[in-house]
Amino acid sequence: MPRLTVADSDVEVLLKPGETILGGLHRAGYAARTGCLRGGCGVCKVEVTQGSVTYAETVAETVLTSEERTSGICLICRAVPQEDTVIAPRPEFKLRCVAPFLAALARK
Amino acid sequence: MSDVLRMGYVHARVTDLARAKDHYANTLGLYPTLEEDGKLYFKGWDEWDHHSVVLEEGGVGAVKFGFKVMDTAGLERIEKKAQTFGDCTVTRMSAGENREVGDGIRVQLDCIGHTFEFYTDMTAVGLEVGTHNPDAFPRHLVGIGAPMLDHALLIGEDIDTAARFFMEVTDFYTTERAQTDLSDEAQTIAYWLSSMQKVHDIALLRGENGKLHHFAFQMRDWNDILHAADLFAMDDVPIDVGPTRHGITRGETIYFFDPAGNRNETFAGGYTSYRDRPTIIWTADQLAKGIFYHARELKESFTSVYT
Ligand code: FES
Ligand SMILES: [Fe+2]
């Protein structure tokens, strides 16, 4: 199972097979700035600094360009990590813990 | 009086036709009327024309919007006035360019980056309850059973010119307006425009050209809105905001996203408007209450997410 780590934080989630980055973060009691949750608006973009992601659903080129993909940008609402992955969100990502007990559970 | 009857169709892009079909047919309960060349056509049960929603595979966002016009004389009036208006490109479209839609005119408003089509004829399919001694609603509605398309909110840079187009060319009137303040230099943030007695047929919000904020389906009442929200939970539809009430238009609402990320709305209530009703003004300092009457707080996703 891929491990998701958020750079410069103590956030670490063991992802379930096929789980998106956002799915894992939510399950682990974290919230972040998101929009459509459907890969259509692009507000949930973050940089993947280690690891790789794939998409189970079609993502429009107008939302995530191929240049962005190759430079490591992903849409967390749709991106599924294939291996241990580190993301480095910008401040506007507004990652915050909304349920500490879930965060503790997700580490195990 | 306006020659425009209503917003007849929304043509939008979706990333995956099969998923879109599931959402629009099974969750929203629209009736699929045609599937052809990578496009899906739908109508609501209380609509009589062939379609009110067209979905095309590839990308997200709006392709164009159709307005149904009363008659050919009205269409000619709109064409003439659009040509005199100037700040738009007017072309003729012929029957068949859009499936089941007759001759009309196409107007491109570069000031907001959106395209509008005006037509008088669309193949009649009929109300699902029929016209002779009809029942109140079809017994076997699917999902939320959305009766009909209601309006759309479009985003663009120069909404002042666009609003002027709708007022001067198609004779819409402004039911409500949001503006920076009450001074003479105030800038308009958004317009709500009506052709007849609906509280709005189209709304315009200042922002990036060519973007779609949402398109909305008319629901009967607050009970149906709550019921719709329950079904969205069952179908795992991401809800952006609601169920709640708008200060602006007084409508009852839920905002949610289709599988491609286009925002939809279920809209009920609002008031019956008249051409001589005073225009309602919302100032920026009270905009949060105008948009979400109960929470009185703007939601970041609502104001910054669009396709
Ligand atoms: S939230 Fe809209 S693309 Fe991820
Ligand atoms: Fe709306």
Side-chain angles (χ1 to χ4, degrees), chain A residues 12 54 73 82:
Chain A
E12 214 179 273
T54 56
I73 305 294
Q82 295 305 293

Side-chain angles (χ1 to χ4, degrees), chain A residues 22 33-45 59 63 74-78, chain B residues 257 260-261 305-307:
Chain A
L22 185 64
R33 183 193 171 195
T34 51
C36 67
L37 305 179
R38 291 271 164 97
C41 70
V43 310
C44 68
K45 280 177 195 173
V59 171
V63 179
C74 79
L75 300 178
I76 59 158
C77 69
R78 290 293 204 204
Chain B
F257 295 101
V305 169
Y306 37 78
T307 52

Side-chain angles (χ1 to χ4, degrees), chain B residues 54-72:
Chain B
V54 183
L55 302 175
E56 178 176 333
E57 191 162 66
V60 290
V63 178
K64 57 194 181 184
F65 303 85
F67 283 104
K68 192 167 191 193
V69 176
M70 186 62 199
D71 51 27
T72 334

Side-chain angles (χ1 to χ4, degrees), chain A residues 21 38-42 45-80 82-83 85-87, chain B residues 15 58-60 260:
Chain A
I21 294 178
R38 291 271 164 97
C41 70
K45 280 177 195 173
V46 305
E47 193 188 342
V48 174
T49 53
Q50 250 178 70
S52 62
V53 299
T54 56
Y55 294 88
E57 320 266 343
T58 317
V59 171
E61 169 74 22
T62 48
V63 179
L64 186 69
T65 64
S66 3
E67 295 88 77
E68 283 177 312
R69 281 175 203 247
T70 42
S71 70
I73 305 294
C74 79
L75 300 178
I76 59 158
C77 69
R78 290 293 204 204
V80 180
Q82 295 305 293
E83 52 189 318
T85 292
V86 180
I87 56 168
Chain B
T15 39
V60 290

Side-chain angles (χ1 to χ4, degrees), chain B residues 128-142:
Chain B
E128 296 306 318
V129 289
T131 46
H132 296 16
N133 313 313
D135 277 312
F137 54 87
R139 174 172 294 240
H140 299 291
L141 282 176
V142 176

